[in-house]
Amino acid sequence: MASVSINDNSSNFSGNSRSLLKKRTLLFRYLAEINVIFGIWYLQWRINNSINFDALWISIPLLIAEIYSYFGGVMFVIGLWRPLVRQVKSLDQMIPPLARSDWPTVDVFVTCYNEPPEIVEETAKAALKLDYPPTKLRVYVLDDGNSANMRAMTERLCIEDLQSPQLQQEANRIDAEHSYLLERLKQLESLTPNTQAAEQWLQTSSSEPVANELTTKFVQSLQKFILWLPPTDQSISHRLTTEHKALEEAIRKKELELVELSRFRYIARPKTPGVAHHAKAGNINYAIFSGETAGNFIVTLDADHIPKPNFLKRVVPYFYIYNLSTGKYEQNQIAFVQTRQDFYNIPPGDPFGHRANLFYGPLQQGKDGMNAAFYTGTNAILRREALVSVGLQNFADEFAKDEKRLDEFDLVGGVSSNSITEDMNTAMRLHSAGWKSIYHNELLAEGLAPDDLSSTLKQRLRWAQGTIQVLVRENPLTKSGLTFWQRLQYFKTMYSYFSGFATVVFISCPIIYFFTDIVPVKTYGSDFAIHFFPAFIINRLTFLAATWGIPAREVWRSEQYAIALFPLLIQAVWSVFTGQKLNFQVTPKQRQSGIYLRLVWPQLVVFILTILGILWSLYRFAIGHLNNPWVHLLNSAWAIYNLLLLSAIIRASVWQPPKEV
């Protein structure tokens, strides 16, 4: 795994948490400002001096593509203007300390559909090993596939957990406390007859002469003293009755606590035919509203994401703030804390571009600086109160539009069901309701990445379609409650998924020129060089400053896939805007064997045409029929750059895991 600096866990600072600007932010800002200015300078030259009016059919698309890219770049640098590095003290190191009895209850939701039980079992075992009081932790397998094998695995693991030394110790403690309460109750019951007789004797002595007046006064004084002690009562008998009820209630709670030690549970929601099920969102919402879960906080984990033992201790402190005036910890307005995501099965070279240190680094840190961190569906902890309150409000709004949706109440409230990327839409709703978010840049859970191109493309298509769905259904530019910066952060993500159209123009221009000598730019001479190269160079320097600390190979792989996925991005836009039915497809967790050249045929066509165009130029140069060789050389450099970008996905389509010896 590549070594990437992610988070300084040092606790040598005052308070329990703090945020700092990421290193080299000022350098990035200077470069970003110059980049924006040079970009405007280049575009005004392009618009006023370089359009080829003899080939407007290609000149105008190229200019539009460049303008689109420029505005995307502007939003990119603005989004990185205030990247935050968070530091936090672990839950058991907070100053002043938060008593373990005051630690919140936590439900861990392991969502699954058709994954192999052994994969879910590994995640569940890790969740049960979280370093957290066992009586305050519940782990739930939310099995949307209602699998008999999954249920059997859950029952077996539940029994194993109950037999673990940790729970046995808790059971012994509860049993000892239960026995003590029973003994106290027995003693109390033995006192009751004598106490009642004594009170009756005192009543008699008050109306008749008694031989031993001193004894009577002593017993009366003792009675008054007992009744004077809090809580006050009318009589000792009434005090005993009250104490008896309190002990019975305490015993009942201890018995319930013993039953509740079963902390690993299984939930499979019923699915009524003809009623929308809302995939993962519906699965989580059913668990929230079914009455089977009640934790103050909810951790969501995909079926294959294995949490580290310190997960909860590293994220729960963000939800508390110490009030100096009251001397107590109080909860704040943080709705969720998202941690970074990584994978433990990425092969050498990362052929499918799964490493996401750019997103789970500068991009999320930049969003965090504007209170717009994204919830990404896994490796996150959410406040139940925030999720339920916002979910119910959105359901009420939808119910007002369509009363038939009442049957979907337990599937719609909570996590957003309005898009197949329920996570981002949920975060946007929470932000619009005034809740805050945190991005904690520490690796606290690792999962399985798709290790074939088919599964990878299914996952990327779902992300693209879902994001564009949110734009169409809940446009952040018009959604009430969001700040300007939050609107920008959400919109720029959605904007980026339209880049497939610009990519088609960029990769087509050199090919068109090789075979037709038609140029979209009127001049490629010194005037072009003076305007293009400074803007290009400062753009690359700005990007280098933004991605500082991320391995260059990974950054390059991200660029390759950003361009090479152009057919998928176009498909996503087309499918959403034409109203096609979009289904939530679970990403396969096991390798789908095969060669996938058929999935990248558009990239192959472009790749082959580009090579043929370069060869054709070389042939014409060799026979002395090549006009404007410098223009051909410039387009050849452009074409080779395009080939390098496209080569990643073509290699991925034929990639096979190393054969085991």
Side-chain angles (χ1 to χ4, degrees), residues 533-553:
F533 286 110
F536 178 78
I537 292 170
I538 197 66
N539 178 272
R540 302 311 299 174
L541 289 174
T542 305
F543 190 65
L544 180 65
T547 58
W548 193 275
I550 303 175
R553 185 170 186 175

mmCIF file of all heavy atoms in Angstrom, residues 533-553:
data_model
loop_
_atom_site.group_PDB
_atom_site.id
_atom_site.type_symbol
_atom_site.label_atom_id
_atom_site.label_comp_id
_atom_site.label_asym_id
_atom_site.label_seq_id
_atom_site.Cartn_x
_atom_site.Cartn_y
_atom_site.Cartn_z
ATOM 1 N N PHE A 533 1.005 28.081 -23.495
ATOM 2 C CA PHE A 533 1.965 27.392 -22.630
ATOM 3 C C PHE A 533 2.075 27.997 -21.233
ATOM 4 O O PHE A 533 2.149 27.249 -20.246
ATOM 5 C CB PHE A 533 3.328 27.311 -23.318
ATOM 6 C CG PHE A 533 3.356 26.302 -24.437
ATOM 7 C CD1 PHE A 533 3.436 26.713 -25.767
ATOM 8 C CD2 PHE A 533 3.270 24.955 -24.169
ATOM 9 C CE1 PHE A 533 3.432 25.791 -26.796
ATOM 10 C CE2 PHE A 533 3.269 24.018 -25.188
ATOM 11 C CZ PHE A 533 3.351 24.433 -26.508
ATOM 12 N N PRO A 534 2.092 29.315 -21.051
ATOM 13 C CA PRO A 534 2.095 29.834 -19.674
ATOM 14 C C PRO A 534 0.867 29.382 -18.878
ATOM 15 O O PRO A 534 0.987 29.010 -17.704
ATOM 16 C CB PRO A 534 2.111 31.347 -19.864
ATOM 17 C CG PRO A 534 2.733 31.552 -21.202
ATOM 18 C CD PRO A 534 2.249 30.409 -22.037
ATOM 19 N N ALA A 535 -0.309 29.420 -19.537
ATOM 20 C CA ALA A 535 -1.532 28.992 -18.846
ATOM 21 C C ALA A 535 -1.468 27.507 -18.507
ATOM 22 O O ALA A 535 -1.871 27.089 -17.408
ATOM 23 C CB ALA A 535 -2.751 29.291 -19.721
ATOM 24 N N PHE A 536 -0.953 26.708 -19.438
ATOM 25 C CA PHE A 536 -0.860 25.261 -19.214
ATOM 26 C C PHE A 536 0.122 24.949 -18.084
ATOM 27 O O PHE A 536 -0.165 24.136 -17.201
ATOM 28 C CB PHE A 536 -0.430 24.562 -20.508
ATOM 29 C CG PHE A 536 -0.258 23.078 -20.361
ATOM 30 C CD1 PHE A 536 -1.360 22.233 -20.333
ATOM 31 C CD2 PHE A 536 1.010 22.514 -20.243
ATOM 32 C CE1 PHE A 536 -1.198 20.862 -20.192
ATOM 33 C CE2 PHE A 536 1.178 21.144 -20.109
ATOM 34 C CZ PHE A 536 0.070 20.323 -20.084
ATOM 35 N N ILE A 537 1.276 25.602 -18.099
ATOM 36 C CA ILE A 537 2.308 25.326 -17.095
ATOM 37 C C ILE A 537 1.844 25.732 -15.698
ATOM 38 O O ILE A 537 2.002 24.969 -14.733
ATOM 39 C CB ILE A 537 3.621 26.045 -17.467
ATOM 40 C CG1 ILE A 537 4.218 25.414 -18.729
ATOM 41 C CG2 ILE A 537 4.622 25.977 -16.315
ATOM 42 C CD1 ILE A 537 5.379 26.193 -19.316
ATOM 43 N N ILE A 538 1.248 26.912 -15.577
ATOM 44 C CA ILE A 538 0.788 27.348 -14.258
ATOM 45 C C ILE A 538 -0.362 26.471 -13.785
ATOM 46 O O ILE A 538 -0.524 26.226 -12.571
ATOM 47 C CB ILE A 538 0.370 28.847 -14.283
ATOM 48 C CG1 ILE A 538 0.293 29.389 -12.847
ATOM 49 C CG2 ILE A 538 -0.942 29.041 -14.990
ATOM 50 C CD1 ILE A 538 1.592 29.446 -12.128
ATOM 51 N N ASN A 539 -1.159 25.954 -14.706
ATOM 52 C CA ASN A 539 -2.232 25.023 -14.347
ATOM 53 C C ASN A 539 -1.655 23.746 -13.741
ATOM 54 O O ASN A 539 -2.141 23.238 -12.724
ATOM 55 C CB ASN A 539 -3.086 24.701 -15.579
ATOM 56 C CG ASN A 539 -4.186 23.707 -15.274
ATOM 57 O OD1 ASN A 539 -3.993 22.501 -15.352
ATOM 58 N ND2 ASN A 539 -5.361 24.221 -14.951
ATOM 59 N N ARG A 540 -0.596 23.228 -14.354
ATOM 60 C CA ARG A 540 0.026 21.999 -13.837
ATOM 61 C C ARG A 540 0.692 22.258 -12.490
ATOM 62 O O ARG A 540 0.644 21.414 -11.586
ATOM 63 C CB ARG A 540 1.057 21.464 -14.831
ATOM 64 C CG ARG A 540 0.525 21.154 -16.222
ATOM 65 C CD ARG A 540 -0.731 20.315 -16.189
ATOM 66 N NE ARG A 540 -0.511 19.028 -15.547
ATOM 67 C CZ ARG A 540 -1.480 18.153 -15.283
ATOM 68 N NH1 ARG A 540 -2.737 18.456 -15.576
ATOM 69 N NH2 ARG A 540 -1.196 16.999 -14.700
ATOM 70 N N LEU A 541 1.300 23.411 -12.323
ATOM 71 C CA LEU A 541 1.935 23.733 -11.044
ATOM 72 C C LEU A 541 0.886 23.859 -9.933
ATOM 73 O O LEU A 541 1.121 23.434 -8.800
ATOM 74 C CB LEU A 541 2.739 25.027 -11.167
ATOM 75 C CG LEU A 541 4.020 24.961 -12.006
ATOM 76 C CD1 LEU A 541 4.632 26.350 -12.148
ATOM 77 C CD2 LEU A 541 5.026 23.993 -11.380
ATOM 78 N N THR A 542 -0.245 24.445 -10.265
ATOM 79 C CA THR A 542 -1.325 24.572 -9.280
ATOM 80 C C THR A 542 -1.826 23.200 -8.861
ATOM 81 O O THR A 542 -2.040 22.932 -7.669
ATOM 82 C CB THR A 542 -2.495 25.394 -9.861
ATOM 83 O OG1 THR A 542 -2.004 26.658 -10.307
ATOM 84 C CG2 THR A 542 -3.584 25.602 -8.826
ATOM 85 N N PHE A 543 -1.997 22.322 -9.830
ATOM 86 C CA PHE A 543 -2.459 20.962 -9.535
ATOM 87 C C PHE A 543 -1.414 20.215 -8.708
ATOM 88 O O PHE A 543 -1.749 19.450 -7.796
ATOM 89 C CB PHE A 543 -2.749 20.222 -10.842
ATOM 90 C CG PHE A 543 -3.451 18.902 -10.646
ATOM 91 C CD1 PHE A 543 -4.730 18.854 -10.124
ATOM 92 C CD2 PHE A 543 -2.828 17.720 -10.976
ATOM 93 C CE1 PHE A 543 -5.386 17.648 -9.932
ATOM 94 C CE2 PHE A 543 -3.467 16.494 -10.798
ATOM 95 C CZ PHE A 543 -4.755 16.472 -10.275
ATOM 96 N N LEU A 544 -0.146 20.443 -9.002
ATOM 97 C CA LEU A 544 0.938 19.815 -8.242
ATOM 98 C C LEU A 544 0.904 20.274 -6.791
ATOM 99 O O LEU A 544 1.064 19.461 -5.866
ATOM 100 C CB LEU A 544 2.284 20.161 -8.876
ATOM 101 C CG LEU A 544 3.534 19.582 -8.188
ATOM 102 C CD1 LEU A 544 3.531 18.062 -8.271
ATOM 103 C CD2 LEU A 544 4.798 20.134 -8.849
ATOM 104 N N ALA A 545 0.672 21.555 -6.558
ATOM 105 C CA ALA A 545 0.591 22.070 -5.189
ATOM 106 C C ALA A 545 -0.626 21.503 -4.463
ATOM 107 O O ALA A 545 -0.564 21.203 -3.266
ATOM 108 C CB ALA A 545 0.532 23.596 -5.208
ATOM 109 N N ALA A 546 -1.731 21.339 -5.192
ATOM 110 C CA ALA A 546 -2.956 20.813 -4.579
ATOM 111 C C ALA A 546 -2.806 19.356 -4.166
ATOM 112 O O ALA A 546 -3.389 18.916 -3.169
ATOM 113 C CB ALA A 546 -4.128 20.959 -5.547
ATOM 114 N N THR A 547 -2.033 18.592 -4.932
ATOM 115 C CA THR A 547 -1.907 17.153 -4.680
ATOM 116 C C THR A 547 -0.599 16.799 -3.982
ATOM 117 O O THR A 547 -0.199 15.642 -3.979
ATOM 118 C CB THR A 547 -2.006 16.385 -6.009
ATOM 119 O OG1 THR A 547 -0.966 16.843 -6.901
ATOM 120 C CG2 THR A 547 -3.356 16.606 -6.670
ATOM 121 N N TRP A 548 0.044 17.793 -3.405
ATOM 122 C CA TRP A 548 1.331 17.557 -2.751
ATOM 123 C C TRP A 548 1.182 16.484 -1.665
ATOM 124 O O TRP A 548 0.288 16.514 -0.848
ATOM 125 C CB TRP A 548 1.844 18.854 -2.129
ATOM 126 C CG TRP A 548 3.287 18.767 -1.715
ATOM 127 C CD1 TRP A 548 3.787 18.282 -0.557
ATOM 128 C CD2 TRP A 548 4.409 19.181 -2.492
ATOM 129 N NE1 TRP A 548 5.147 18.359 -0.535
ATOM 130 C CE2 TRP A 548 5.565 18.922 -1.711
ATOM 131 C CE3 TRP A 548 4.556 19.756 -3.752
ATOM 132 C CZ2 TRP A 548 6.854 19.215 -2.160
ATOM 133 C CZ3 TRP A 548 5.831 20.044 -4.192
ATOM 134 C CH2 TRP A 548 6.963 19.775 -3.410
ATOM 135 N N GLY A 549 2.086 15.511 -1.674
ATOM 136 C CA GLY A 549 2.041 14.433 -0.685
ATOM 137 C C GLY A 549 1.399 13.173 -1.205
ATOM 138 O O GLY A 549 1.538 12.099 -0.594
ATOM 139 N N ILE A 550 0.684 13.259 -2.319
ATOM 140 C CA ILE A 550 0.091 12.066 -2.939
ATOM 141 C C ILE A 550 1.066 11.539 -3.977
ATOM 142 O O ILE A 550 1.600 12.313 -4.772
ATOM 143 C CB ILE A 550 -1.261 12.405 -3.606
ATOM 144 C CG1 ILE A 550 -2.220 13.009 -2.574
ATOM 145 C CG2 ILE A 550 -1.884 11.175 -4.236
ATOM 146 C CD1 ILE A 550 -3.533 13.487 -3.157
ATOM 147 N N PRO A 551 1.337 10.235 -3.999
ATOM 148 C CA PRO A 551 2.282 9.693 -4.981
ATOM 149 C C PRO A 551 1.926 10.123 -6.402
ATOM 150 O O PRO A 551 0.756 10.083 -6.803
ATOM 151 C CB PRO A 551 2.142 8.179 -4.811
ATOM 152 C CG PRO A 551 1.689 8.007 -3.398
ATOM 153 C CD PRO A 551 0.807 9.181 -3.106
ATOM 154 N N ALA A 552 2.939 10.537 -7.166
ATOM 155 C CA ALA A 552 2.716 11.043 -8.529
ATOM 156 C C ALA A 552 2.027 10.000 -9.395
ATOM 157 O O ALA A 552 1.192 10.328 -10.244
ATOM 158 C CB ALA A 552 4.052 11.463 -9.150
ATOM 159 N N ARG A 553 2.368 8.724 -9.173
ATOM 160 C CA ARG A 553 1.762 7.660 -9.984
ATOM 161 C C ARG A 553 0.257 7.579 -9.750
ATOM 162 O O ARG A 553 -0.508 7.338 -10.679
ATOM 163 C CB ARG A 553 2.422 6.325 -9.641
ATOM 164 C CG ARG A 553 1.959 5.178 -10.516
ATOM 165 C CD ARG A 553 2.812 3.947 -10.289
ATOM 166 N NE ARG A 553 2.471 2.879 -11.211
ATOM 167 C CZ ARG A 553 3.126 1.725 -11.299
ATOM 168 N NH1 ARG A 553 4.183 1.507 -10.522
ATOM 169 N NH2 ARG A 553 2.756 0.797 -12.161
#
